């Protein structure tokens, strides 16, 4: 009988519970044992695990967050790699670990696989920036939340003739900004992949106002560089992880000065990761979880389950998380037609 462990590591994202539910259900269907690891890698380092029954995962499909808990603790940064988790692996008789993580956690999984641990990765992040997959679960929910926010900001912007600068997550990639900016009909979308000149942005907004459109929505990805000469304070969290956010607080006032139009800044922050996943993310999470469990039960390792077109595929894990997947220029061009 195989024992398959499952953990969620790094920032949470809507759909994690759908994957956990699918892994546990599929493992049980094969007569295996499912072990839930609490708080990401930390649980494997501390021996914080529990056997998961089918009942443990009932009713969680629609819930945001993760019933397993998560953390940014890492066995290589905060321990000695495989040696730090080996006691738990042996104590629980774990044959393989399904790692539901972003690029950082998946890179850790690659290193553990190189040391001999059997791992199967499941790409997770609202940022949609993991290679090897056409989309990550969580992204669709984040885009919907941001689109709703833009819709609301648009009516108040219009009422007051204001510029609304909306900062969204995404780390070094502009996927959320590009998709939600398009869905929300934003006038400007600034993403890390495309250089921008704030004076040009201001000139376009002034021209738009000259044509009678007296408000504008400017979507800013948190990872864009601040305008020349400006800085955004760097904040590092308890795990040494650099937190992005705040560039809109620099861009907003500069736009106000350059255009002469009243401007407000909204930083959506963790709202984008909270709450119930969309149907798309529930389905994608479920399909990836089933595939990850089957791969682990079949003896697979060093691979990641992924969305490829409409199908679920298995790709090389090390290859997939080599570098963040960026928004290609042609994708941004599609959105550019609708900008100011
Ligand atoms: O990677 C997901 C993400 O939500 C990023 O978009 C954001 O920069 C980061 O995590 C925030 O991390 P934390 O939850 O540690 O503040």
């Amino acid at each position: 009988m195989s024992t398959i462990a499952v953990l969620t590591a790094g920032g949470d994202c809507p759909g994690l519970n759908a994957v956990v539910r699918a892994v546990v259900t599929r493992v049980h269907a094969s007569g295996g044992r499912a072990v839930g690891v609490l708080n990401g890698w930390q649980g494997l380092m501390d021996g914080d695990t529990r056997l998961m029954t089918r009942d443990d995962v009932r009713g969680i499909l629609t819930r945001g967050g993760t019933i397993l808990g998560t953390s940014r603790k890492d066995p290589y940064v905060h321990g000695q790699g495989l040696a730090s988790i080996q006691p738990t692996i042996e104590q629980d008789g774990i044959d393989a670990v399904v790692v539901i993580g972003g690029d950082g956690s998946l890179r850790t999984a690659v290193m553990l696989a190189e040391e001999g641990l059997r791992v199967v990765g499941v790409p997770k992040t609202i940022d949609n920036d993991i290679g090897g997959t056409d989309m990550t679960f969580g992204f669709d929910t984040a885009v919907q939340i941001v689109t709703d926010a833009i819709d609301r900001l648009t009516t108040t912007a219009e009422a007051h003739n204001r510029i609304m600068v909306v900062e969204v997550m995404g780390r070094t990639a502009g996927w959320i900004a590009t998709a939600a900016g398009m869905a929300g009909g934003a006038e400007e979308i600034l993403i890390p992949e495309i250089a921008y000149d704030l004076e040009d942005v201001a000139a376009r907004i002034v021209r738009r106002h000259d044509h009678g459109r007296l408000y504008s929505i400017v979507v800013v990805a948190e990872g864009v560089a601040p305008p020349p000469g400006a800085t955004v304070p760097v904040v590092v969290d308890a795990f040494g992880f650099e937190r992005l956010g705040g560039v809109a607080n620099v861009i907003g006032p500069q736009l106000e000065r350059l255009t002469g139009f009243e401007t407000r800044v909204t930083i959506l922050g963790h709202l984008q990761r909270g709450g119930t996943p969309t149907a798309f993310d529930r389905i994608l999470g479920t399909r990836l979880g089933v595939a990850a469990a089957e791969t682990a039960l079949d003896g697979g390792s060093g691979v990641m389950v992924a969305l490829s077109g409409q199908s679920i595929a298995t790709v090389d894990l090390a290859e997939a998380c080599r570098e963040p997947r960026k928004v290609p220029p042609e994708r941004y061009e599609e959105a550019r037609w609708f900008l100011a």
Side-chain angles (χ1 to χ4, degrees):
M1 187 207 308
S2 295
T3 300
I4 309 297
V6 56
L7 64 83
T8 53
D12 74 325
C13 101
L16 283 170
N17 285 326
V19 186
V20 172
R21 169 179 174 267
V23 170
V24 171
T25 304
R26 185 65 189 86
V27 167
H28 276 282
S30 289
R33 284 185 343 139
V35 171
V37 180
L38 304 189
N39 304 319
W41 297 114
Q42 184 163 8
L44 279 184
M45 294 167 77
D46 299 348
D48 223 351
T49 59
R50 61 170 186 193
L51 265 183
M52 304 280 289
T53 66
R54 290 287 313 279
D55 280 343
D56 289 326
V57 295
R58 285 192 212 286
I60 66 169
L61 176 63
T62 59
R63 274 167 60 183
T66 159
I67 61 160
L68 294 177
T70 185
S71 76
R72 295 202 191 273
K73 201 134 187 194
D74 182 283
Y76 289 95
V77 180
H78 307 100
Q80 294 77 45
L82 184 62
S84 326
I85 64 170
Q86 192 66 37
T88 308
I89 299 291
E90 284 171 14
Q91 163 203 301
D92 290 349
I94 294 169
D95 296 304
V97 184
V98 172
V99 179
I100 313 170
D103 54 353
S105 325
L106 294 178
R107 269 195 291 273
T108 300
V110 170
M111 292 196 273
L112 289 167
E114 283 165 1
E115 287 200 72
L117 183 72
R118 280 222 292 118
V119 296
V120 175
V122 181
K124 162 244 61 161
T125 173
I126 62 166
D127 302 337
N128 200 34
D129 63 349
I130 300 178
T133 183
D134 289 348
M135 209 191 280
T136 55
F137 70 87
F139 173 65
D140 185 68
T141 305
V143 169
Q144 188 59 56
I145 292 167
V146 176
T147 303
D148 291 344
I150 293 174
D151 289 350
R152 288 173 189 280
L153 289 167
T154 299
T155 59
T156 171
E158 199 169 10
H160 287 266
N161 296 339
R162 284 174 173 159
I163 298 174
M164 289 290 184
V165 177
V166 194
E167 182 180 300
V168 303
M169 284 184 165
R171 292 200 69 74
T172 58
W175 288 103
I176 298 175
T178 305
M182 186 188 241
E187 277 63 50
E188 294 288 338
I189 302 173
L190 308 185
I191 64 172
E193 293 88 340
I194 309 277
Y196 72 97
D197 179 330
L198 208 54
E199 294 196 358
D200 290 347
V201 172
R204 286 196 294 269
I205 290 176
V206 168
R207 211 169 39 239
R208 173 175 152 83
H209 282 227
D210 288 346
H211 285 89
R213 308 291 285 165
L214 301 181
Y215 72 94
S216 291
I217 301 291
V218 179
V219 178
V220 175
E222 64 177 2
V224 301
T231 51
V232 179
V234 177
V235 183
V236 177
D237 73 13
F239 299 108
F241 184 81
E242 191 182 319
R243 285 168 58 192
L244 296 178
V247 70
N249 285 328
V250 175
I251 289 175
Q254 289 207 13
L255 262 186
E256 184 167 76
R257 188 174 47 76
L258 289 167
T259 60
F261 303 135
E262 203 183 1
T263 302
R264 293 287 188 272
V265 171
T266 302
I267 298 180
L268 291 174
H270 295 81
L271 274 177
Q272 295 161 89
R273 291 203 329 224
T276 186
T278 58
F280 182 91
D281 282 336
R282 294 179 203 183
I283 295 165
L284 180 57
T286 300
R287 296 178 71 201
L288 290 173
V290 167
E294 287 173 351
T295 306
L297 288 163
D298 287 350
S301 183
V303 293
M304 182 183 90
V305 291
L307 182 68
S308 174
Q310 296 293 316
S311 306
I312 302 298
T314 305
V315 300
D316 183 70
L317 180 59
E319 190 55 43
C321 56
R322 188 148 289 146
E323 55 186 34
R325 191 172 66 99
K326 300 297 182 86
V327 177
E330 61 276 16
R331 185 66 188 269
Y332 186 76
E333 282 305 316
E334 292 169 354
R336 205 200 280 278
W337 293 109
F338 306 96
L339 304 183

